Amino acid sequence: YASHSDAYVMWRDGGTASRGVELVAEIGRISDLQGELASNSNVLDQVMGVGIEEAFDGAVSAPSEHLCVDEGHPYVSGIGMIAPSPDWFSGLYNLPLWNQATETWYKKIEVNVYAWDAGTEGGNDYNLDNKDTAPQEEISAFGPGDTEDAVFVSRGDFDLPYLQVKPVGVLKFELQESSQTCA
């Protein structure tokens, strides 16, 4: 995850995946993305979480250090591979941790995260061996479509009986301390 100003975009709906985002989505390699973050002056800080080898309800991953944010870099973006898959990932982009109206930090934020397609490889099932898309496609969210056999799709409950995409995780951000500098 990275804290950044509004001038930086790690990824976004309809955008084109950078090499770093592509490699995280396709094979889980973070070094290129870390390099992109380190070389961008609009990024203040970055932390890496630990992967979850076997996903199940309640599985938890947490970074080993805190993410520093400040008023000039109040946004957070992040990405994590969904494996195995062609180029699917989950994450969030441009989440504000600073409330501009009240000029205060949010104390706690929980965000459902969904599956995204990086647009860099073809494939519609849990398979790592896929051809590159040429030309590269836009990053896009999974939609419910018209069949409950699609990945990440479920039929809702009695209140919402139509097909819907379910979240693949929850990200939690909690203010740990407030200081004038990042240390």
Side-chain angles (χ1 to χ4, degrees):
Y1 296 90
S3 59
H4 57 86
S5 71
D6 62 0
Y8 174 76
V9 178
M10 179 185 289
W11 67 274
R12 67 174 178 80
D13 188 16
T16 301
S18 69
R19 181 72 176 152
V21 167
E22 175 183 7
L23 291 173
V24 170
E26 289 181 6
I27 60 174
R29 189 168 87 196
I30 62 172
S31 58
D32 289 62
L33 181 59
Q34 287 175 309
E36 292 173 11
L37 295 169
S39 66
N40 193 304
S41 63
N42 296 304
V43 174
L44 176 65
D45 195 19
Q46 60 176 296
V47 296
M48 299 302 142
V50 178
I52 300 173
E53 289 192 27
E54 189 173 327
F56 57 89
D57 274 353
V60 174
S61 171
S64 58
E65 52 192 307
H66 297 299
L67 179 68
C68 183
V69 296
D70 65 19
E71 291 179 31
H73 304 86
Y75 299 95
V76 64
S77 294
I79 179 175
M81 178 187 188
I82 296 175
S85 74
D87 61 346
W88 303 340
F89 67 94
S90 68
L92 55 81
Y93 61 94
N94 300 347
L95 176 70
L97 301 180
W98 172 257
N99 184 327
Q100 289 182 319
T102 62
E103 296 186 352
T104 58
W105 294 103
Y106 293 108
K107 296 204 182 311
K108 186 174 184 180
I109 298 176
E110 291 189 16
V111 181
N112 286 332
V113 291
Y114 295 84
W116 291 82
D117 186 319
T120 59
E121 284 193 355
N124 58 5
D125 60 13
Y126 295 96
N127 189 343
L128 290 173
D129 187 24
N130 300 283
K131 293 186 186 295
D132 289 345
T133 54
Q136 185 172 332
E137 297 173 359
E138 294 180 346
I139 295 171
S140 60
F142 278 80
D146 58 4
T147 175
E148 53 189 303
D149 293 333
V151 294
F152 309 115
V153 174
S154 296
R155 185 160 305 280
D157 55 24
F158 296 110
D159 296 333
L160 301 169
Y162 49 86
L163 296 176
Q164 54 189 296
V165 176
K166 296 291 190 173
V168 296
V170 177
L171 294 178
K172 298 178 182 181
F173 298 89
E174 190 169 349
L175 179 65
Q176 297 297 308
E177 63 182 84
S178 182
S179 66
Q180 294 300 317
T181 61
C182 297

